[in-house]
Amino acid sequence: MGGRPSRIVFGCAQLLRFGGLQLVSCLFPAALFAGLAISKYVDLPIARYDALLVYCLLLTLGFWVVRLETWREIAVIFGFHLVGLALELFKVQVGSWQYPGDAVTKFAGVPLFAGFMYAAVGSYICQAWRRFDLRVSGYRPVLTTVLAVLIYANFFTHHWIVDLRIPVALLLLVVLRRTWVFYTVGVRRYRMPLALSFLLIGFFLWVAENAGTFLDAWNYPDQVDVWRLVHPAKFGAWALLVSMSFVLVASVKSLEGRLYHRGTLATVATPKATEIPPQHTNANQVRTPGVS
């Protein structure tokens, strides 16, 4: 009985550590939302979207200067920007949502800063990967990449052909059924299914989307006159889009030992990646959340 209170205290401390690491990993998204809030309520000398583009560029440069992100991670994040911007240009043209207000840096109805909202997801994944010392086992890169590309393509094609979101999502669950992500909090090593991490990130992205539309970063058709909660179905869409985000980061991390030229071990366990020897992992017990 004497050990039970100490276990509860330790569990609470671990939860606080976990939350702290998550908050630090969200520095770029948090700074982006701070910019959205300030630009909404403060009069600016230039158009809001133009100011946000300059702000995001300076923010990215600042993260590199203070070494919060490497130039390779910046390159990956730029990839997120392009992927997101392509999706935005299409979705705005078909009327899925809109960006209120004019700007010099607005092209085909989409402000160029919009890609940074996707880049923020890439920044979070890169930061979390490092801060939680992530390792992925059972990862099937080819099949996962193919399905991620199909998921991304479906966001375009479902406007003309049948929506394949659910069958592709089910296939992704099958492919990821034995894929685990290992992470460190304090002195303990934990694990969770990679598919579950996609769902959790997708949920918080849906929450962030509600905040973004509330700040008039963009509006869905039913939010033009009065703000309303973003439809919960968008949660599933974000969870699926995270798969593309993960593939972009994992493509670098799976080659990390060779790409970074530092003799470090690859952090994604694929058939071609460097295996992680037992002495490299935390010597403490590996646990699955909820399992003691």
Side-chain angles (χ1 to χ4, degrees):
M1 294 293 292
R4 187 174 182 82
S6 62
R7 290 180 63 184
I8 294 175
V9 171
F10 178 76
C12 291
Q14 285 291 86
L15 186 61
L16 288 174
R17 291 189 187 100
F18 179 82
L21 289 171
Q22 288 286 2
L23 287 174
V24 176
S25 299
C26 289
L27 281 176
F28 192 100
L32 176 57
F33 273 99
L36 289 175
I38 292 172
S39 64
K40 176 177 172 62
Y41 298 107
V42 175
D43 290 332
L44 300 171
I46 60 176
R48 183 190 186 195
Y49 291 142
D50 295 335
L52 284 170
L53 177 61
V54 174
Y55 172 71
C56 289
L57 288 171
L58 291 175
L59 193 61
T60 303
L61 177 62
F63 268 55
W64 176 73
V65 169
V66 300
R67 298 184 178 181
L68 281 173
E69 284 166 353
T70 67
W71 70 265
R72 293 178 180 86
E73 289 172 337
I74 294 294
V76 172
I77 291 168
F78 182 68
F80 282 96
H81 187 285
L82 294 179
V83 167
L85 201 57
L87 184 61
E88 291 290 318
L89 288 168
F90 176 79
K91 288 294 188 178
V92 167
Q93 292 304 307
V94 297
S96 296
W97 54 77
Q98 67 179 37
Y99 286 87
D102 295 321
V104 174
T105 57
K106 196 173 183 180
F107 175 74
V110 178
L112 296 183
F113 105 91
F116 280 101
M117 292 186 288
Y118 295 85
V121 180
S123 176
Y124 162 76
I125 294 177
C126 289
Q127 291 282 333
W129 206 299
R130 185 186 312 116
R131 296 181 187 282
F132 285 96
D133 189 26
L134 297 189
R135 299 289 185 271
V136 182
S137 68
Y139 182 62
R140 305 168 74 179
V142 175
L143 287 176
T144 306
T145 300
V146 168
L147 291 175
V149 171
L150 288 176
I151 287 170
Y152 181 71
N154 186 71
F155 283 108
F156 296 86
T157 60
H158 81 86
H159 289 278
W160 300 296
I161 63 175
V162 63
D163 191 347
L164 299 174
R165 188 174 317 182
I166 293 178
V168 176
L170 291 175
L171 285 174
L172 185 64
L173 287 175
V174 171
V175 170
L176 298 180
R177 68 189 185 282
R178 295 178 181 174
T179 306
W180 293 83
V181 56
F182 294 79
Y183 59 99
T184 299
V185 179
V187 297
R188 288 286 175 85
R189 195 77 169 150
Y190 301 89
R191 71 173 184 172
M192 75 164 61
L194 182 60
L196 176 59
S197 71
F198 287 176
L199 288 174
L200 292 174
I201 296 173
F203 171 75
F204 284 104
L205 286 175
W206 175 74
V207 173
E209 186 175 34
N210 277 282
T213 54
F214 180 78
L215 293 172
D216 282 331
W218 72 97
N219 303 126
Y220 284 99
D222 63 344
Q223 296 175 322
V224 174
D225 297 323
V226 59
W227 182 82
R228 293 182 175 86
L229 192 72
V230 176
H231 197 283
K234 297 296 182 181
F235 156 48
W238 277 113
L240 290 175
L241 195 58
V242 169
S243 65
M244 174 63 76
S245 305
F246 180 85
V247 163
L248 287 172
V249 177
S251 64
V252 171
K253 294 297 182 179
S254 63
L255 300 173
E256 195 170 40
R258 286 165 285 173
L259 184 60
Y260 282 77
H261 302 294
R262 296 174 185 169
T264 56
L265 293 168
T267 57
V268 180
T270 65
K272 294 184 179 180
T274 307
E275 289 190 6
I276 304 165
Q279 64 269 24
H280 182 73
T281 58
N282 194 304
N284 294 282
Q285 183 177 356
V286 175
R287 296 171 177 242
T288 302
V291 179
S292 57

